[in-house]
Every structure is written in C-alpha cells, then in structure tokens.
Amino acid sequence: MAGLEKHYFGRGNTAVGLYTLYDSILNGLDTVFVIDGRIGSGTSQVLAQLAAAWKDNGWTKHYIHETLDSEQLEGIILEEARIGIVDGNAWSADPVLEGTEIRVIDAAAALRSGFIDDVEARTKDLEQEIAALYAKAYDSFLKTLRIHDEWEKFYIDHLDRERANQITAEFADEYLVPFRSKKANVTRRFLGAATWQGALDYVPNLTENLRTRIFVKGRPGSGKSTMFKKLAKEAEARGIDTEIYHCGFDPNSLDMLIFPELSLAIFDSTAPHEHFPSREGDSILDVYELAIKEGTDEAFAEEIAEIRGRYSASMKHSISILSDIKRIRDEVWSAYDAAVDPAALRAVATQVVRQVDALTNSSV
C-alpha cells in the first residue's frame, strides 16, 4: 500500500535572491544522502528513479520540487525512516547537520570518460548567461515587492491593530491547545514558488488530510503574515509541533502554518494561492472584514487599481526572465545529458536504494 505524499519546495526565487530552507527541512533526520556531481539533469533523474522505486511502499514520502521547474525533484524524505536524499547542487557545498549521518554519492561517475572537459567548455558561456539572468530576475522581483509595499500601505494605515491582536489571541486560545508537555518541533518550508511557468503552490496536497483548515482572506497589508508569526511563536511556547511555510515571493513573510498533532492548518488563501472551502472542517477567516476600516477598498479604489496593474506587469516581467533561464538551462542540461551513461545513472539510484534497504531492514 502506497504511503502519503507531501509536496513542497526547499528553495525560492524571491525578492531577496535565491533563498533556501534546506537546513531546517533536513534537520533531525538520521541519514541524508547527497547526490553530488555536476551532471545536468542527472541528479533529477536519479531522484525520479528513486521516487519510482519507492512509489508503492508504505512510507510517507516528501517530494521536494525544484523552484525553477516544479516538474523536477531536488529532494525526497522518507518520513518514518528518517532518511533524506537531496541534490547536492541544491543544498550546501559542505553539508553539515548535527546528529545526522551524511552519505555523499558521487553521481559524476555517470559521465562518460573524456566528455566532461568538452561539455564544460561548451556550456561555460551559457552558465554565465544564466547567472546574469538570475541576478536580473531577483532585481525584478525586488522591484515588484516594492510595488506590493505601496499596495499594502493603504491597508496597514487602516488596520485596527487592537482588533487584529484580539483575533490572533482568540484563535490561539481556541485552537492551540497543547495535549502534552514537550519541546516543540519546528520545520520551515515553502508551500509555493515562482517557477518559470508562474506561481505554483501545493496547499491542497499539504492540507488534504487535515481535519480543520482555516482559509484566511484579506488584502495585502491586512496583517495575515503578522498573525501567522505570532501564532507560530505561541505554538512553540506551548510545545506544539509546527510546520511553517514561508512566502515564495517574500521569504520574510509567512503563508501557512500546519499543526500536525492538532490536524489543523491556517493559511493565506489569497492570490496567487487562492483557495476556497470545499468540505466539512473548512472555514474562512476574513481579516479585511474584521480588522480593516470599513470602506477602505472603495475609498482608494482608483489608486489601488493603478498599483495592482503595475504589480501584475512587474511580476509577469520577472517570470518571463525565469522562462528565459529555463530555456538556456535546457541547453546546458542537454549537453550534459548527451555525456551521461544512462546505465551508470541507474546504478547510482540502485546504490541508494540498497543502502536505504540496509538502514531500514527492508527491500523494494
């Protein structure tokens, strides 16, 4: 019987650059396999082969998607086995996790002898072009964030902070009830990302098995992220395990909290990750209606519409740069793929499977 699947991102193309949460995601695992080596799409292929090998077993599997192209994987976690597998190009050049055994698997051995120098020479200029485009994309995302800040100000200036604090306190008292005394386990992830195809999120997948889901509605600047930060701090103080999901556009903001022990999620359910209640246990918390001065939308409708238009255009421009990066990177990966021995690549995946079998006393 296949186990549960969780999908999310470990990194983000954000307004502050490439932002990673892998140290938090991998923290606490017993063993982490690092698939090392500059081999184009080879590491993603290994992870895809591993995902296929473990598809039908009973473990809860975390699939960590690549932020540029969500169809590619850059990590897998086998939850009950406390084992992680991560693309070394996506994590750290010198990975260290306290209390975790790191096993480095050399995937570069799958490159055919004598090809690597030629491939590196052919792709050098393309790699430099990709680096320059990433810098351009991050600058564009930052400009987009500054426009978003203009948008937020209308609502920040008309926010009833006392009422907002009251909403947060009432939620904590109603829902964040600890059932045993312990130290909280806190993990940070991204629920969504700005990909080359636009914004993408995994909220439905991450929350589908939870009993209670709170869909927070509102406007930019209506206090949603601030509420989540306060609730995360309160949950930790009460010993409640918390999955904290950062905004894939502005990692300093939070988009969702999941409390697994309470079977509870509360999340920002506005664009670009807008979702609506669909079953029993779902409810809406509209902070605009509850904590923003009545008539704010109407009073500043013209100004807000102009800012929204600039924001949308700037975001589309930023995404178009990621699309250019994807196109050029495909050329680089194609050059490396031509130099990779498919059988040797499959052997890398088999090596990981056998080591995991030995660690878990199981077989696939």
Side-chain angles (χ1 to χ4, degrees):
M1 178 180 176
L4 295 177
E5 296 182 0
K6 298 181 181 180
H7 296 262
Y8 52 86
F9 295 91
R11 301 187 294 167
N13 292 311
T14 79
V16 297
L18 181 62
Y19 198 96
T20 180
L21 295 172
Y22 267 109
D23 284 354
S24 177
I25 291 169
L26 301 174
N27 185 48
L29 298 178
D30 292 336
T31 308
V32 170
F33 293 85
V34 180
I35 310 300
D36 202 28
R38 183 70 179 85
I39 54 170
S41 69
T43 48
S44 293
Q45 291 182 49
V46 169
L47 286 161
Q49 290 167 14
L50 292 172
W54 293 320
K55 186 178 187 303
D56 295 326
N57 69 26
W59 289 323
T60 299
K61 292 170 283 290
H62 298 212
Y63 296 121
I64 308 172
H65 294 258
E66 190 201 34
T67 184
L68 178 65
D69 180 2
S70 63
E71 293 184 4
Q72 305 289 336
L73 291 178
E74 59 181 34
I76 299 173
I77 291 176
L78 308 174
E79 186 174 301
E80 291 82 4
R82 298 172 60 85
I83 292 172
I85 306 92
V86 63
D87 182 343
N89 300 297
W91 189 27
S92 168
D94 186 20
V96 176
L97 287 173
E98 186 176 350
T100 300
E101 179 189 6
I102 306 294
R103 297 190 183 186
V104 178
I105 306 296
D106 182 15
L111 283 171
R112 293 189 177 97
S113 178
F115 276 74
I116 187 166
D117 289 341
D118 176 61
V119 172
E120 289 180 345
R122 288 164 51 201
T123 60
K124 181 179 179 181
D125 290 344
L126 294 175
E127 296 278 16
Q128 292 176 346
E129 188 175 357
I130 288 172
L133 282 171
Y134 266 123
K136 183 179 178 182
Y138 299 145
D139 180 64
S140 184
F141 278 125
L142 180 58
K143 290 177 180 176
T144 308
L145 179 61
R146 293 295 169 255
I147 298 171
H148 196 267
D149 290 343
E150 295 180 48
W151 192 354
E152 286 186 333
K153 192 173 187 306
F154 292 100
Y155 299 101
I156 292 172
D157 289 347
H158 295 84
L159 173 66
D160 183 337
R161 288 174 172 76
E162 184 176 344
R163 178 64 180 127
N165 289 335
Q166 182 183 4
I167 293 168
T168 303
E170 288 173 353
F171 182 93
D173 288 342
E174 179 176 357
Y175 290 101
L176 302 185
V177 181
F179 55 88
R180 67 175 184 270
S181 179
K182 64 175 182 58
K183 182 179 179 180
N185 180 46
V186 178
T187 304
R188 297 178 181 273
R189 305 165 177 160
F190 286 109
L191 62 82
T195 75
W196 76 277
Q197 293 176 304
L200 183 147
D201 74 82
Y202 290 109
V203 170
N205 164 263
L206 291 165
T207 65
E208 64 183 348
N209 293 302
L210 300 176
R211 183 174 58 251
T212 305
R213 303 189 299 181
I214 311 297
F215 296 65
V216 181
K217 302 293 184 178
R219 309 291 188 274
S222 55
K224 300 184 296 294
S225 178
T226 299
M227 177 174 66
F228 295 158
K229 289 176 181 178
K230 290 179 178 180
L231 289 175
K233 185 176 181 180
E234 185 62 30
E236 184 175 8
R238 298 184 184 190
I240 299 170
D241 293 349
T242 307
E243 297 172 7
I244 299 176
Y245 291 85
H246 291 247
C247 172
F249 171 51
D250 175 11
N252 295 313
S253 294
L254 303 184
D255 276 347
M256 179 166 73
L257 304 175
I258 290 179
F259 309 101
E261 298 158 310
L262 307 178
S263 195
L264 166 68
I266 180 170
F267 53 93
D268 182 340
S269 188
T270 58
H273 35 76
E274 187 172 22
H275 302 281
F276 296 93
S278 60
R279 57 173 170 80
E280 185 178 355
D282 291 352
S283 62
I284 289 176
L285 176 62
D286 193 326
V287 292
Y288 175 80
E289 290 186 357
L290 295 171
I292 299 292
K293 182 179 178 181
E294 186 177 354
T296 298
D297 277 346
E298 294 76 11
F300 301 99
E302 190 173 322
E303 297 96 322
I304 291 171
E306 188 274 334
I307 292 172
R308 184 188 293 114
R310 283 193 286 121
Y311 171 81
S312 178
S314 186
M315 183 61 80
K316 286 179 180 178
H317 175 65
S318 303
I319 296 299
S320 73
I321 301 172
L322 295 183
S323 183
D324 289 339
I325 294 171
K326 167 67 163 53
R327 173 178 51 80
I328 297 170
R329 194 188 69 172
D330 282 350
E331 293 184 48
V332 174
W333 278 16
S334 179
Y336 274 93
D337 289 349
V340 168
D341 179 351
L345 207 58
R346 289 192 295 272
V348 172
T350 299
Q351 179 184 356
V352 176
V353 168
R354 287 174 177 169
Q355 290 193 40
V356 169
D357 287 348
L359 289 168
T360 59
N361 296 314
S362 63
S363 61
V364 176

